[in-house]
Amino acid sequence: SILYSFDREIWENYTKPIVISKDGLFTVYFRAVDKAGNIEDIKSETIKVDKTPPTTIAEYDGKWHNADFLINLTAIDNLSGVREIYYRINGGPIMSISEHGQPKITTEGSNNTLEYWSVDKAGNEEYPHKILTGIKLDKTAPMGSIVINNNAVYTNSTLVTLTLIATDQISGVAQMRFSNDNISWSDWEPYTTSKFWTLQDGDGIKTVYVQFRDQAGLISQS
């Protein structure tokens, strides 16, 4: 018969495959016994058991970005180690870090998705896969227009009313600022459709400039 032990004190007959039910590094001792009772010298074999999948972490700040950007994926496995990190962007093809690099977000919108998971060197796959939603990218600056005093040709007061219209299809218009010379600008303020504004002193043709900024930080043309 064949005897085996994990501690060289308690020995059992080997009659079926040995089942190790927990993770860790194990040494199995064994020896054969013949029908005359002769026992061979103890032999041993060491094996590392890893039945726990790795854990993957995605680094995303949850904010709007205004250019293509990477989401950094890292994985931890304290036993056999991480073999590979996989991901899918917006339900596309499966990619891996080693072959394709970190996932790159290139599609404009407020709800890009990233599915990601890891596999360790023992073959354990992280499941269910993790899914990051609400990934925001806006690469298009807002557009807008300005009207002084409802397009009146003349005014006898430097205090005027500005009517403002601005659009941004992705992240939305957030702020606006103004200038009388396109050089010195007022502070950024929340976007509204109407604004009191003081023109430069003196008679003559006056110009008012406006810029709009969206939630991703992109600024319109003046």
Side-chain angles (χ1 to χ4, degrees):
S1 63
I2 299 176
L3 304 177
Y4 73 92
S5 173
F6 288 103
D7 57 10
R8 291 195 294 184
E9 294 182 1
I10 300 174
W11 292 86
E12 298 183 39
N13 284 315
Y14 176 77
T15 57
K16 57 183 179 180
I18 300 171
V19 176
I20 300 176
S21 60
K22 58 184 179 179
D23 294 336
L25 186 65
F26 299 90
T27 299
V28 181
Y29 303 94
F30 55 92
R31 57 187 178 181
V33 182
D34 63 19
K35 293 181 180 180
N38 298 303
I39 303 175
E40 73 169 333
D41 292 336
I42 296 174
K43 295 181 172 62
S44 66
E45 187 72 33
T46 299
I47 185 171
K48 182 183 287 186
V49 178
D50 180 2
K51 300 192 293 182
T52 303
T55 300
T56 311
I57 300 171
E59 296 180 12
Y60 172 58
D61 57 12
K63 299 178 180 179
W64 280 99
H65 288 247
N66 55 32
D68 296 346
F69 65 101
L70 300 177
I71 293 181
N72 189 52
L73 298 178
T74 56
I76 300 172
D77 188 278
N78 294 322
L79 296 168
S80 62
V82 178
R83 185 180 72 192
E84 187 58 270
I85 301 175
Y86 298 95
Y87 60 88
R88 287 161 43 119
I89 300 173
N90 294 327
I94 296 175
M95 299 183 177
S96 65
I97 296 295
S98 62
E99 183 177 357
H100 304 94
Q102 294 287 355
K104 188 175 186 179
I105 305 301
T106 61
T107 302
E108 288 187 290
S110 61
N111 198 27
N112 286 285
T113 62
L114 176 65
E115 177 185 359
Y116 58 98
W117 68 97
S118 299
V119 177
D120 65 20
K121 294 177 181 178
N124 297 303
E125 179 177 336
E126 186 177 14
Y127 196 82
H129 299 168
K130 293 180 178 176
I131 299 180
L132 179 63
T133 61
I135 304 171
K136 305 176 183 69
L137 176 62
D138 180 0
K139 300 184 286 185
T140 306
M143 300 177 62
S145 63
I146 181 173
V147 171
I148 303 175
N149 282 354
N150 285 326
N151 273 327
V153 178
Y154 299 98
T155 178
N156 59 12
S157 171
T158 56
L159 182 63
V160 295
T161 300
L162 307 178
T163 301
L164 308 153
I165 299 175
T167 59
D168 186 276
Q169 299 299 322
I170 309 298
S171 63
V173 181
Q175 295 174 309
M176 59 186 182
R177 67 177 180 177
F178 303 91
S179 173
N180 284 323
D181 57 11
N182 205 24
I183 298 174
S184 299
W185 290 87
S186 64
D187 293 335
W188 287 104
E189 60 185 272
Y191 166 66
T192 61
T193 58
S194 182
K195 165 78 175 177
F196 290 115
W197 180 253
T198 302
L199 304 174
Q200 289 179 325
D201 290 333
D203 295 339
I205 296 175
K206 307 298 178 181
T207 302
V208 181
Y209 301 87
V210 62
Q211 286 183 331
F212 301 100
R213 184 161 66 180
D214 64 22
Q215 294 190 61
L218 296 166
I219 299 175
S220 71
Q221 295 183 348
S222 299

